[in-house]
Amino acid sequence: HTHTGERLELVYARGGSYLPEALGALDRLLRDHYSGEVGRMDPALYDLLHRVRQATGSRAHFEVISGYRCAATNERLRTTRGGGVAKTSLHTQGRAIDVRLPDVALADLRDAAWSLGLGGVGYYPRERFVHLDTGRVRRW
C-alpha cells in the first residue's frame, strides 16, 4: 500500500472458496487510509486483480493507491480535489481499487484490464494508477 507502507502476500481462495481469514486481512490492508475505517471489500475484486496480473504476465506485486473509502472521506475528496471523485464511488462499497504494477506499463495494465470485460477501468496516467472495479463494464 503506497500510503501506509504495508505489504501483504497471501492466498485468498482455495478450491473455489474464499478464505475468511485472508479476506479479513485484505479488508484491513485496503482500509480507508485517511480515516482508518475498515470496510468489506468485494472478493470478486481479488479475482479481477488475479486475472489482470495473469493477463499482463506480471511477476510483481500490485502497488495499491486506494481501496475502501468511507463516505465522509469520499465526500471530502470529491469536494476538495476539483473533480475526479464520483459522488457514488464504488470505493465506498468496497468494489473498487486503484493500482499499478511496477513491471507493467500503465497503458498495458489498462488495456489488459479492459480486455477482460469484467468491470470498470479508469486510466489516470498523471496520477500513475489504473482504477479497477466490479461495477458495470465501462471505461474512462
Side-chain angles (χ1 to χ4, degrees):
H1 198 294
T2 61
H3 293 285
T4 66
E6 294 169 288
R7 299 176 60 95
L8 182 63
E9 187 171 336
L10 52 69
V11 173
Y12 71 94
R14 186 172 285 121
S17 297
Y18 296 115
L19 303 174
E21 218 171 274
L23 295 181
L26 285 161
D27 287 345
R28 283 186 297 282
L29 175 74
L30 299 174
R31 70 189 175 276
D32 183 325
H33 65 270
Y34 292 97
S35 71
E37 184 176 322
V38 176
R40 177 162 289 154
M41 300 299 290
D42 179 1
L45 198 56
Y46 308 133
D47 297 334
L48 175 58
L49 289 169
H50 178 72
R51 295 207 37 206
V52 166
R53 189 167 181 262
Q54 286 181 315
T56 63
S58 175
R59 308 222 4 114
H61 298 290
F62 280 99
E63 294 178 354
V64 175
I65 290 80
S66 183
Y68 174 76
R69 257 189 240 139
C70 71
T73 294
N74 196 71
E75 183 62 16
R76 184 171 46 78
L77 294 175
R78 193 179 73 74
T79 58
T80 61
R81 294 271 171 104
V85 176
K87 186 173 190 167
T88 57
S89 171
L90 291 178
H91 285 278
T92 64
Q93 298 172 32
R95 296 181 58 202
I97 192 166
D98 301 332
V99 294
R100 61 181 167 248
L101 282 167
D103 63 345
V104 175
L106 206 58
D108 293 341
L109 176 61
R110 172 203 59 201
D111 294 346
W114 180 247
S115 74
L116 297 173
L118 294 175
V121 179
Y123 181 56
Y124 297 88
R126 192 179 71 199
E127 295 86 357
R128 296 183 29 227
F129 70 82
V130 172
H131 167 100
L132 304 172
D133 68 50
T134 59
R136 63 184 169 76
V137 176
R138 67 212 186 287
R139 66 177 163 183
W140 61 95

